[in-house]
Amino acid sequence: MSTKPTTKRPWSLRRKLIIGGVSLLIVLSLALGLGLGLTLGQDDGDEDDNEPTLTPLPSPNATRPWLPKVNDTWQIILSHPPLISSSATSTTPNVSIFDIDLFDTPASTIQQLHKLGKKVICYFSAGSYEDWRPDAKDFKSEDLGKQVDDWPGEKWLKLGSENVRSIMKKRIDMAEKKGCDGVDPDNVDGFQNSNGLGLTANDSIAYMQFLSSITRPLNLTLGLKNAGSIISAVLPLVEFSVNEQCVEYSECEKFQPFIAAGKPVFHIEYPAGDGDLQQSVHANGFSEDTRKKFCSKNGPANGSEGFSTVLKKMNLDGWVEYCDGRVEVSSMDETSGGHERRRRKR
Ligand SMILES: *[C@@H]1O[C@H](CO)[C@@H](O)[C@H](O)[C@H]1NC(C)=O
Ligand SMILES: *[C@@H]1O[C@H](CO)[C@@H](O)[C@H](O)[C@H]1NC(C)=O
Ligand SMILES: *[C@@H]1O[C@H](CO)[C@@H](O)[C@H](O)[C@H]1NC(C)=O
Ligand SMILES: *[C@@H]1O[C@H](CO)[C@@H](O)[C@H](O)[C@H]1NC(C)=O
Ligand SMILES: *[C@@H]1O[C@H](CO)[C@@H](O)[C@H](O)[C@H]1NC(C)=O
Ligand SMILES: *[C@@H]1O[C@H](CO)[C@@H](O)[C@H](O)[C@H]1NC(C)=O
């Protein structure tokens, strides 16, 4: 929570040149390998815009995954799977997208959400080892880096490891089999953290390209979690952003390129930090001042125009407040999932 994002430090020109050059290499090899078209970002004199970008060429029988839209409404519940009664005719809240845990949520719940016209994004950690997952034993000790700060049981992963990638491919295959419409791979920003593996932005860009090479043929929509400093390199590969706390860190502007590209930013703030909610907040929502801070489009929230904002508790349970002050509580199946987790890692 209190860790200052390292991305705020301006990058040295040398580092930019190295990463820019390397991104260009990746882009070129991808363009050759996957038959994608290559366009170089127009240089308007701003150094930050010099990174190359990819534009997939339309191909007649390419799969067209579900494309979420700017301003789509959503709910995210990771502490336990949502519980939807078989006689339900709508969901609580009645939003169009649910972001839920890939492992804990049964396929039948995803089916129910689909029947109610909802889209489902399946969350998993792609860049950290979580010792409680059913496939945890498949990781090798050399895949693992430092423990994720404040988070026992979780370690940064070596993103270039073939073993890690084959585990992630299996997870994405599971997402497809369970019927998820998209995936929300978390912790792809190890390079912004003390990770013990020497991870670089380059590694994360290459990893997003790897994830995209798996999701694309499966017709699954891919999102980018946080990772503000690699957006220009990977924006063409992803269809949405999931951002945590850009208002808290006054960095929403970084995510505005998604909106400009017609791709939604699913934006989470934790106004109560990692504490619990007061009874009155639980019932009626945060004070108007708090809500204004996170929902206005100015001050620390500058640059958040068009974001799909939810105010949540850090354990990401069923409680949610929207910017219009509406408080809703989704039912959860408390017999499943329930690992105590903190969702902010950078
Ligand atoms: C694309 O279409 C062509 C011609 O209809 C077909 O031969 C080819 O197998 C298709 N490719 C894929 C990936 O479906
Ligand atoms: C891909 O997903 C979209 C949206 O769910 C669907 O309309 C389309 O038919 C799917 N394409 C294939 C090839 O399954
Ligand atoms: C839920 O949302 C859908 C889609 O926006 C709408 O058609 C439906 O009437 C809503 N149901 C309720 C009970 O509000
Ligand atoms: C960047 O990534 C590419 C592709 O994964 C790799 O070949 C290259 O060595 C990396 N360069 C640096 C400086 O990390
Ligand atoms: C606010 O954000 C916009 C982009 O949405 C940016 O152009 C502007 O410079 C920002 N203003 C301040 C004061 O940071
Ligand atoms: C999203 O909602 C905002 C606020 O209502 C509106 O200004 C903006 O035009 C909407 N954008 C799109 C693409 O619908």
Side-chain angles (χ1 to χ4, degrees):
M1 270 289 293
S2 55
T3 343
K4 272 274 177 186
T6 51
T7 44
K8 289 198 166 172
R9 224 175 289 141
W11 285 7
S12 70
L13 182 59
R14 187 168 155 271
R15 188 150 173 230
K16 279 186 184 176
L17 288 174
I18 291 172
I19 289 177
V22 156
S23 314
L24 185 62
L25 266 178
I26 295 168
V27 164
L28 281 171
S29 50
L30 202 83
L32 288 172
L34 299 179
L36 295 174
L38 174 69
T39 50
L40 286 175
Q42 299 226 317
D43 189 353
D44 59 7
D46 181 343
E47 271 182 10
D48 282 324
D49 289 345
N50 284 348
E51 286 183 53
T53 56
L54 280 171
T55 312
L57 289 175
S59 109
N61 50 5
T63 54
R64 289 277 299 165
W66 160 60
L67 302 177
K69 296 187 301 296
V70 171
N71 287 339
D72 274 356
T73 55
W74 77 303
Q75 158 73 310
I76 177 164
I77 311 173
L78 300 183
S79 68
H80 300 276
L83 186 63
I84 295 149
S85 102
S86 52
S87 58
T89 54
S90 88
T91 55
T92 304
N94 191 23
V95 290
S96 52
I97 300 163
F98 281 76
D99 190 339
I100 57 180
D101 190 87
L102 166 64
F103 284 100
D104 297 341
T105 309
S108 56
T109 301
I110 296 173
Q111 253 172 28
Q112 278 181 307
L113 285 165
H114 282 161
K115 273 196 203 133
L116 297 170
K118 312 306 177 189
K119 293 292 186 185
V120 178
I121 294 173
C122 293
Y123 168 98
F124 64 98
S125 183
S128 76
Y129 161 84
E130 299 167 309
D131 67 4
W132 65 93
R133 296 301 185 180
D135 57 1
K137 61 178 185 329
D138 297 343
F139 292 93
K140 297 178 179 164
S141 58
E142 62 262 35
D143 295 333
L144 312 183
K146 275 196 190 166
Q147 182 186 298
V148 178
D149 275 348
D150 300 330
W151 194 220
E154 193 156 347
K155 291 177 174 172
W156 294 104
L157 284 173
K158 192 184 282 178
L159 302 182
S161 155
E162 283 308 315
N163 185 52
V164 166
R165 291 183 176 203
S166 93
I167 293 166
M168 296 308 157
K169 182 181 182 309
K170 285 184 193 144
R171 290 183 174 185
I172 295 169
D173 285 341
M174 186 199 316
E176 197 258 344
K177 289 205 179 69
K178 280 193 168 184
C180 311
D181 300 290
V183 290
D184 171 15
D186 197 7
N187 301 312
V188 295
D189 55 356
F191 70 95
Q192 293 177 302
N193 295 265
S194 168
N195 58 71
L197 296 161
L199 295 173
T200 63
N202 183 26
D203 294 324
S204 284
I205 293 166
Y207 197 55
M208 289 307 297
Q209 285 168 335
F210 159 73
L211 293 173
S212 157
S213 77
I214 307 300
T215 54
R216 218 170 250 280
L218 295 176
N219 202 27
L220 287 169
T221 301
L222 178 64
L224 178 68
K225 178 70 172 286
N226 295 323
S229 59
I230 62 168
I231 289 173
S232 58
V234 304
L235 184 54
L237 302 173
V238 295
E239 303 302 340
F240 62 90
S241 158
V242 177
N243 169 265
E244 289 171 291
Q245 294 177 289
C246 72
V247 174
E248 193 73 55
Y249 290 92
S250 303
E251 60 178 11
C252 294
E253 246 184 275
K254 278 190 190 169
F255 299 85
Q256 205 38 240
F258 275 94
I259 304 297
K263 300 176 180 186
V265 176
F266 299 120
H267 168 216
I268 310 166
E269 293 287 340
Y270 307 113
D274 55 9
D276 218 339
L277 298 183
Q278 291 167 1
Q279 202 57 44
S280 62
V281 172
H282 189 276
N284 305 313
F286 290 102
S287 70
E288 203 170 318
D289 281 353
T290 300
R291 186 150 45 84
K292 275 202 184 122
K293 171 182 171 189
F294 292 105
C295 295
S296 73
K297 306 300 170 195
N298 44 51
N302 182 54
S304 64
E305 292 84 0
F307 289 13
S308 300
T309 300
V310 291
L311 307 181
K312 296 281 299 184
K313 288 159 62 177
M314 209 174 261
N315 69 357
L316 294 171
D317 67 5
W319 190 93
V320 61
E321 180 175 355
Y322 293 96
C323 281
D324 59 5
R326 214 161 15 103
V327 170
E328 307 225 38
V329 184
S330 306
S331 303
M332 302 189 297
D333 176 3
E334 306 213 353
T335 65
S336 171
H339 194 92
E340 255 322 298
R341 59 181 83 201
R342 263 193 69 231
R343 277 298 143 213
R344 179 173 181 85
K345 298 150 203 160
R346 39 198 323 165

PDB file of all heavy atoms in Angstrom, residues 62-89:
ATOM      1  N   ALA A  62      -9.884 -14.841 -38.682  1.00  0.00           N
ATOM      2  CA  ALA A  62      -9.351 -14.676 -37.329  1.00  0.00           C
ATOM      3  C   ALA A  62     -10.515 -14.743 -36.349  1.00  0.00           C
ATOM      4  O   ALA A  62     -11.603 -14.267 -36.649  1.00  0.00           O
ATOM      5  CB  ALA A  62      -8.648 -13.341 -37.199  1.00  0.00           C
ATOM      6  N   THR A  63     -10.270 -15.330 -35.182  1.00  0.00           N
ATOM      7  CA  THR A  63     -11.334 -15.330 -34.181  1.00  0.00           C
ATOM      8  C   THR A  63     -11.479 -13.914 -33.643  1.00  0.00           C
ATOM      9  O   THR A  63     -10.501 -13.201 -33.481  1.00  0.00           O
ATOM     10  CB  THR A  63     -11.004 -16.286 -33.016  1.00  0.00           C
ATOM     11  OG1 THR A  63      -9.728 -15.936 -32.509  1.00  0.00           O
ATOM     12  CG2 THR A  63     -11.018 -17.718 -33.474  1.00  0.00           C
ATOM     13  N   ARG A  64     -12.674 -13.518 -33.395  1.00  0.00           N
ATOM     14  CA  ARG A  64     -12.944 -12.191 -32.871  1.00  0.00           C
ATOM     15  C   ARG A  64     -13.442 -12.359 -31.455  1.00  0.00           C
ATOM     16  O   ARG A  64     -14.585 -12.706 -31.236  1.00  0.00           O
ATOM     17  CB  ARG A  64     -14.030 -11.489 -33.707  1.00  0.00           C
ATOM     18  CG  ARG A  64     -13.553 -11.087 -35.072  1.00  0.00           C
ATOM     19  CD  ARG A  64     -12.808  -9.774 -35.053  1.00  0.00           C
ATOM     20  NE  ARG A  64     -13.649  -8.666 -34.584  1.00  0.00           N
ATOM     21  CZ  ARG A  64     -13.163  -7.504 -34.203  1.00  0.00           C
ATOM     22  NH1 ARG A  64     -11.865  -7.306 -34.161  1.00  0.00           N
ATOM     23  NH2 ARG A  64     -13.978  -6.528 -33.830  1.00  0.00           N
ATOM     24  N   PRO A  65     -12.583 -12.114 -30.473  1.00  0.00           N
ATOM     25  CA  PRO A  65     -13.049 -12.332 -29.104  1.00  0.00           C
ATOM     26  C   PRO A  65     -14.059 -11.256 -28.701  1.00  0.00           C
ATOM     27  O   PRO A  65     -14.234 -10.262 -29.400  1.00  0.00           O
ATOM     28  CB  PRO A  65     -11.772 -12.220 -28.285  1.00  0.00           C
ATOM     29  CG  PRO A  65     -10.896 -11.313 -29.057  1.00  0.00           C
ATOM     30  CD  PRO A  65     -11.240 -11.545 -30.519  1.00  0.00           C
ATOM     31  N   TRP A  66     -14.687 -11.481 -27.592  1.00  0.00           N
ATOM     32  CA  TRP A  66     -15.572 -10.484 -26.988  1.00  0.00           C
ATOM     33  C   TRP A  66     -14.759  -9.204 -26.718  1.00  0.00           C
ATOM     34  O   TRP A  66     -13.663  -9.267 -26.184  1.00  0.00           O
ATOM     35  CB  TRP A  66     -16.122 -11.047 -25.686  1.00  0.00           C
ATOM     36  CG  TRP A  66     -16.642 -10.019 -24.753  1.00  0.00           C
ATOM     37  CD1 TRP A  66     -17.661  -9.132 -24.973  1.00  0.00           C
ATOM     38  CD2 TRP A  66     -16.163  -9.764 -23.425  1.00  0.00           C
ATOM     39  NE1 TRP A  66     -17.844  -8.348 -23.872  1.00  0.00           N
ATOM     40  CE2 TRP A  66     -16.945  -8.714 -22.909  1.00  0.00           C
ATOM     41  CE3 TRP A  66     -15.160 -10.332 -22.628  1.00  0.00           C
ATOM     42  CZ2 TRP A  66     -16.749  -8.205 -21.614  1.00  0.00           C
ATOM     43  CZ3 TRP A  66     -14.958  -9.832 -21.360  1.00  0.00           C
ATOM     44  CH2 TRP A  66     -15.753  -8.782 -20.860  1.00  0.00           C
ATOM     45  N   LEU A  67     -15.312  -8.069 -27.122  1.00  0.00           N
ATOM     46  CA  LEU A  67     -14.636  -6.798 -26.890  1.00  0.00           C
ATOM     47  C   LEU A  67     -15.430  -5.953 -25.901  1.00  0.00           C
ATOM     48  O   LEU A  67     -16.477  -5.405 -26.251  1.00  0.00           O
ATOM     49  CB  LEU A  67     -14.467  -6.025 -28.213  1.00  0.00           C
ATOM     50  CG  LEU A  67     -13.686  -6.751 -29.306  1.00  0.00           C
ATOM     51  CD1 LEU A  67     -13.646  -5.929 -30.594  1.00  0.00           C
ATOM     52  CD2 LEU A  67     -12.272  -7.091 -28.845  1.00  0.00           C
ATOM     53  N   PRO A  68     -14.989  -5.862 -24.661  1.00  0.00           N
ATOM     54  CA  PRO A  68     -15.704  -5.017 -23.697  1.00  0.00           C
ATOM     55  C   PRO A  68     -15.600  -3.557 -24.132  1.00  0.00           C
ATOM     56  O   PRO A  68     -14.660  -3.198 -24.845  1.00  0.00           O
ATOM     57  CB  PRO A  68     -14.946  -5.259 -22.383  1.00  0.00           C
ATOM     58  CG  PRO A  68     -13.591  -5.731 -22.785  1.00  0.00           C
ATOM     59  CD  PRO A  68     -13.756  -6.440 -24.088  1.00  0.00           C
ATOM     60  N   LYS A  69     -16.570  -2.766 -23.724  1.00  0.00           N
ATOM     61  CA  LYS A  69     -16.617  -1.374 -24.175  1.00  0.00           C
ATOM     62  C   LYS A  69     -16.341  -0.401 -23.024  1.00  0.00           C
ATOM     63  O   LYS A  69     -16.565  -0.713 -21.855  1.00  0.00           O
ATOM     64  CB  LYS A  69     -18.008  -1.072 -24.758  1.00  0.00           C
ATOM     65  CG  LYS A  69     -18.328  -1.871 -26.008  1.00  0.00           C
ATOM     66  CD  LYS A  69     -19.620  -1.438 -26.666  1.00  0.00           C
ATOM     67  CE  LYS A  69     -20.861  -1.550 -25.770  1.00  0.00           C
ATOM     68  NZ  LYS A  69     -21.166  -2.948 -25.398  1.00  0.00           N
ATOM     69  N   VAL A  70     -15.882   0.788 -23.419  1.00  0.00           N
ATOM     70  CA  VAL A  70     -15.706   1.861 -22.439  1.00  0.00           C
ATOM     71  C   VAL A  70     -17.044   2.106 -21.753  1.00  0.00           C
ATOM     72  O   VAL A  70     -18.087   2.104 -22.407  1.00  0.00           O
ATOM     73  CB  VAL A  70     -15.211   3.153 -23.141  1.00  0.00           C
ATOM     74  CG1 VAL A  70     -15.223   4.336 -22.170  1.00  0.00           C
ATOM     75  CG2 VAL A  70     -13.817   2.941 -23.710  1.00  0.00           C
ATOM     76  N   ASN A  71     -17.029   2.282 -20.445  1.00  0.00           N
ATOM     77  CA  ASN A  71     -18.210   2.526 -19.609  1.00  0.00           C
ATOM     78  C   ASN A  71     -19.020   1.274 -19.293  1.00  0.00           C
ATOM     79  O   ASN A  71     -20.065   1.369 -18.663  1.00  0.00           O
ATOM     80  CB  ASN A  71     -19.161   3.582 -20.209  1.00  0.00           C
ATOM     81  CG  ASN A  71     -18.601   4.989 -20.114  1.00  0.00           C
ATOM     82  OD1 ASN A  71     -17.723   5.265 -19.291  1.00  0.00           O
ATOM     83  ND2 ASN A  71     -19.100   5.893 -20.940  1.00  0.00           N
ATOM     84  N   ASP A  72     -18.550   0.109 -19.737  1.00  0.00           N
ATOM     85  CA  ASP A  72     -19.245  -1.115 -19.325  1.00  0.00           C
ATOM     86  C   ASP A  72     -19.225  -1.181 -17.789  1.00  0.00           C
ATOM     87  O   ASP A  72     -18.252  -0.780 -17.153  1.00  0.00           O
ATOM     88  CB  ASP A  72     -18.548  -2.358 -19.904  1.00  0.00           C
ATOM     89  CG  ASP A  72     -19.029  -2.703 -21.313  1.00  0.00           C
ATOM     90  OD1 ASP A  72     -19.960  -2.023 -21.800  1.00  0.00           O
ATOM     91  OD2 ASP A  72     -18.472  -3.646 -21.917  1.00  0.00           O
ATOM     92  N   THR A  73     -20.295  -1.705 -17.223  1.00  0.00           N
ATOM     93  CA  THR A  73     -20.385  -1.793 -15.764  1.00  0.00           C
ATOM     94  C   THR A  73     -19.858  -3.152 -15.305  1.00  0.00           C
ATOM     95  O   THR A  73     -19.961  -4.150 -16.027  1.00  0.00           O
ATOM     96  CB  THR A  73     -21.847  -1.640 -15.310  1.00  0.00           C
ATOM     97  OG1 THR A  73     -22.629  -2.621 -16.002  1.00  0.00           O
ATOM     98  CG2 THR A  73     -22.358  -0.247 -15.630  1.00  0.00           C
ATOM     99  N   TRP A  74     -19.299  -3.187 -14.091  1.00  0.00           N
ATOM    100  CA  TRP A  74     -18.654  -4.437 -13.661  1.00  0.00           C
ATOM    101  C   TRP A  74     -18.650  -4.575 -12.153  1.00  0.00           C
ATOM    102  O   TRP A  74     -18.903  -3.618 -11.409  1.00  0.00           O
ATOM    103  CB  TRP A  74     -17.241  -4.512 -14.235  1.00  0.00           C
ATOM    104  CG  TRP A  74     -16.226  -3.654 -13.527  1.00  0.00           C
ATOM    105  CD1 TRP A  74     -16.289  -2.307 -13.327  1.00  0.00           C
ATOM    106  CD2 TRP A  74     -14.994  -4.092 -12.940  1.00  0.00           C
ATOM    107  NE1 TRP A  74     -15.170  -1.879 -12.653  1.00  0.00           N
ATOM    108  CE2 TRP A  74     -14.356  -2.951 -12.412  1.00  0.00           C
ATOM    109  CE3 TRP A  74     -14.363  -5.340 -12.817  1.00  0.00           C
ATOM    110  CZ2 TRP A  74     -13.120  -3.019 -11.747  1.00  0.00           C
ATOM    111  CZ3 TRP A  74     -13.146  -5.407 -12.174  1.00  0.00           C
ATOM    112  CH2 TRP A  74     -12.532  -4.249 -11.649  1.00  0.00           C
ATOM    113  N   GLN A  75     -18.336  -5.790 -11.729  1.00  0.00           N
ATOM    114  CA  GLN A  75     -18.124  -6.101 -10.326  1.00  0.00           C
ATOM    115  C   GLN A  75     -16.945  -7.055 -10.275  1.00  0.00           C
ATOM    116  O   GLN A  75     -16.757  -7.863 -11.185  1.00  0.00           O
ATOM    117  CB  GLN A  75     -19.399  -6.741  -9.737  1.00  0.00           C
ATOM    118  CG  GLN A  75     -19.254  -7.595  -8.482  1.00  0.00           C
ATOM    119  CD  GLN A  75     -18.981  -6.800  -7.205  1.00  0.00           C
ATOM    120  OE1 GLN A  75     -18.083  -5.953  -7.169  1.00  0.00           O
ATOM    121  NE2 GLN A  75     -19.737  -7.077  -6.156  1.00  0.00           N
ATOM    122  N   ILE A  76     -16.114  -6.940  -9.245  1.00  0.00           N
ATOM    123  CA  ILE A  76     -15.010  -7.885  -9.085  1.00  0.00           C
ATOM    124  C   ILE A  76     -15.120  -8.520  -7.706  1.00  0.00           C
ATOM    125  O   ILE A  76     -15.270  -7.829  -6.686  1.00  0.00           O
ATOM    126  CB  ILE A  76     -13.625  -7.232  -9.315  1.00  0.00           C
ATOM    127  CG1 ILE A  76     -12.489  -8.232  -9.056  1.00  0.00           C
ATOM    128  CG2 ILE A  76     -13.447  -5.945  -8.489  1.00  0.00           C
ATOM    129  CD1 ILE A  76     -11.127  -7.800  -9.617  1.00  0.00           C
ATOM    130  N   ILE A  77     -15.103  -9.867  -7.677  1.00  0.00           N
ATOM    131  CA  ILE A  77     -15.236 -10.626  -6.431  1.00  0.00           C
ATOM    132  C   ILE A  77     -14.197 -11.734  -6.467  1.00  0.00           C
ATOM    133  O   ILE A  77     -14.306 -12.661  -7.270  1.00  0.00           O
ATOM    134  CB  ILE A  77     -16.628 -11.284  -6.313  1.00  0.00           C
ATOM    135  CG1 ILE A  77     -17.739 -10.276  -6.599  1.00  0.00           C
ATOM    136  CG2 ILE A  77     -16.806 -11.910  -4.939  1.00  0.00           C
ATOM    137  CD1 ILE A  77     -19.119 -10.921  -6.657  1.00  0.00           C
ATOM    138  N   LEU A  78     -13.188 -11.642  -5.613  1.00  0.00           N
ATOM    139  CA  LEU A  78     -12.145 -12.671  -5.642  1.00  0.00           C
ATOM    140  C   LEU A  78     -12.035 -13.467  -4.358  1.00  0.00           C
ATOM    141  O   LEU A  78     -11.394 -14.517  -4.334  1.00  0.00           O
ATOM    142  CB  LEU A  78     -10.774 -12.042  -5.958  1.00  0.00           C
ATOM    143  CG  LEU A  78     -10.647 -11.314  -7.295  1.00  0.00           C
ATOM    144  CD1 LEU A  78      -9.213 -10.807  -7.485  1.00  0.00           C
ATOM    145  CD2 LEU A  78     -11.040 -12.201  -8.470  1.00  0.00           C
ATOM    146  N   SER A  79     -12.660 -12.991  -3.271  1.00  0.00           N
ATOM    147  CA  SER A  79     -12.427 -13.683  -2.005  1.00  0.00           C
ATOM    148  C   SER A  79     -13.134 -15.036  -1.957  1.00  0.00           C
ATOM    149  O   SER A  79     -12.618 -15.992  -1.375  1.00  0.00           O
ATOM    150  CB  SER A  79     -12.828 -12.815  -0.821  1.00  0.00           C
ATOM    151  OG  SER A  79     -14.208 -12.627  -0.772  1.00  0.00           O
ATOM    152  N   HIS A  80     -14.300 -15.107  -2.577  1.00  0.00           N
ATOM    153  CA  HIS A  80     -15.053 -16.365  -2.715  1.00  0.00           C
ATOM    154  C   HIS A  80     -15.786 -16.278  -4.048  1.00  0.00           C
ATOM    155  O   HIS A  80     -15.996 -15.180  -4.546  1.00  0.00           O
ATOM    156  CB  HIS A  80     -16.115 -16.519  -1.609  1.00  0.00           C
ATOM    157  CG  HIS A  80     -15.562 -16.536  -0.215  1.00  0.00           C
ATOM    158  ND1 HIS A  80     -15.072 -17.663   0.385  1.00  0.00           N
ATOM    159  CD2 HIS A  80     -15.443 -15.543   0.697  1.00  0.00           C
ATOM    160  CE1 HIS A  80     -14.660 -17.382   1.610  1.00  0.00           C
ATOM    161  NE2 HIS A  80     -14.873 -16.088   1.827  1.00  0.00           N
ATOM    162  N   PRO A  81     -16.235 -17.399  -4.606  1.00  0.00           N
ATOM    163  CA  PRO A  81     -17.006 -17.293  -5.850  1.00  0.00           C
ATOM    164  C   PRO A  81     -18.369 -16.656  -5.598  1.00  0.00           C
ATOM    165  O   PRO A  81     -18.942 -16.833  -4.520  1.00  0.00           O
ATOM    166  CB  PRO A  81     -17.194 -18.751  -6.285  1.00  0.00           C
ATOM    167  CG  PRO A  81     -16.326 -19.571  -5.417  1.00  0.00           C
ATOM    168  CD  PRO A  81     -16.023 -18.789  -4.190  1.00  0.00           C
ATOM    169  N   PRO A  82     -18.885 -15.920  -6.573  1.00  0.00           N
ATOM    170  CA  PRO A  82     -20.234 -15.393  -6.406  1.00  0.00           C
ATOM    171  C   PRO A  82     -21.230 -16.559  -6.336  1.00  0.00           C
ATOM    172  O   PRO A  82     -20.978 -17.634  -6.879  1.00  0.00           O
ATOM    173  CB  PRO A  82     -20.465 -14.567  -7.679  1.00  0.00           C
ATOM    174  CG  PRO A  82     -19.433 -15.002  -8.655  1.00  0.00           C
ATOM    175  CD  PRO A  82     -18.299 -15.583  -7.872  1.00  0.00           C
ATOM    176  N   LEU A  83     -22.329 -16.320  -5.642  1.00  0.00           N
ATOM    177  CA  LEU A  83     -23.360 -17.349  -5.489  1.00  0.00           C
ATOM    178  C   LEU A  83     -24.628 -16.816  -6.133  1.00  0.00           C
ATOM    179  O   LEU A  83     -25.151 -15.774  -5.731  1.00  0.00           O
ATOM    180  CB  LEU A  83     -23.586 -17.610  -3.996  1.00  0.00           C
ATOM    181  CG  LEU A  83     -24.509 -18.750  -3.628  1.00  0.00           C
ATOM    182  CD1 LEU A  83     -23.948 -20.086  -4.125  1.00  0.00           C
ATOM    183  CD2 LEU A  83     -24.704 -18.808  -2.110  1.00  0.00           C
ATOM    184  N   ILE A  84     -25.095 -17.532  -7.134  1.00  0.00           N
ATOM    185  CA  ILE A  84     -26.269 -17.067  -7.863  1.00  0.00           C
ATOM    186  C   ILE A  84     -27.326 -18.144  -7.787  1.00  0.00           C
ATOM    187  O   ILE A  84     -27.059 -19.304  -8.155  1.00  0.00           O
ATOM    188  CB  ILE A  84     -25.894 -16.748  -9.324  1.00  0.00           C
ATOM    189  CG1 ILE A  84     -24.917 -15.570  -9.328  1.00  0.00           C
ATOM    190  CG2 ILE A  84     -27.120 -16.409 -10.156  1.00  0.00           C
ATOM    191  CD1 ILE A  84     -23.950 -15.593 -10.437  1.00  0.00           C
ATOM    192  N   SER A  85     -28.488 -17.798  -7.282  1.00  0.00           N
ATOM    193  CA  SER A  85     -29.505 -18.827  -7.098  1.00  0.00           C
ATOM    194  C   SER A  85     -30.026 -19.251  -8.469  1.00  0.00           C
ATOM    195  O   SER A  85     -30.023 -18.477  -9.429  1.00  0.00           O
ATOM    196  CB  SER A  85     -30.630 -18.316  -6.205  1.00  0.00           C
ATOM    197  OG  SER A  85     -31.741 -17.956  -6.986  1.00  0.00           O
ATOM    198  N   SER A  86     -30.458 -20.524  -8.539  1.00  0.00           N
ATOM    199  CA  SER A  86     -30.835 -21.057  -9.850  1.00  0.00           C
ATOM    200  C   SER A  86     -32.101 -20.386 -10.374  1.00  0.00           C
ATOM    201  O   SER A  86     -32.388 -20.423 -11.562  1.00  0.00           O
ATOM    202  CB  SER A  86     -31.033 -22.570  -9.766  1.00  0.00           C
ATOM    203  OG  SER A  86     -31.926 -22.852  -8.713  1.00  0.00           O
ATOM    204  N   SER A  87     -32.852 -19.736  -9.473  1.00  0.00           N
ATOM    205  CA  SER A  87     -34.075 -19.071  -9.936  1.00  0.00           C
ATOM    206  C   SER A  87     -33.833 -17.576 -10.206  1.00  0.00           C
ATOM    207  O   SER A  87     -34.770 -16.842 -10.525  1.00  0.00           O
ATOM    208  CB  SER A  87     -35.169 -19.220  -8.877  1.00  0.00           C
ATOM    209  OG  SER A  87     -34.697 -18.661  -7.655  1.00  0.00           O
ATOM    210  N   ALA A  88     -32.591 -17.137 -10.082  1.00  0.00           N
ATOM    211  CA  ALA A  88     -32.308 -15.703 -10.255  1.00  0.00           C
ATOM    212  C   ALA A  88     -32.657 -15.245 -11.665  1.00  0.00           C
ATOM    213  O   ALA A  88     -32.456 -15.972 -12.637  1.00  0.00           O
ATOM    214  CB  ALA A  88     -30.832 -15.428  -9.978  1.00  0.00           C
ATOM    215  N   THR A  89     -33.200 -14.039 -11.756  1.00  0.00           N
ATOM    216  CA  THR A  89     -33.481 -13.479 -13.069  1.00  0.00           C
ATOM    217  C   THR A  89     -32.566 -12.301 -13.364  1.00  0.00           C
ATOM    218  O   THR A  89     -32.599 -11.725 -14.447  1.00  0.00           O
ATOM    219  CB  THR A  89     -34.945 -13.012 -13.182  1.00  0.00           C
ATOM    220  OG1 THR A  89     -35.202 -12.103 -12.098  1.00  0.00           O
ATOM    221  CG2 THR A  89     -35.893 -14.191 -13.078  1.00  0.00           C
TER     222      THR A  89
END
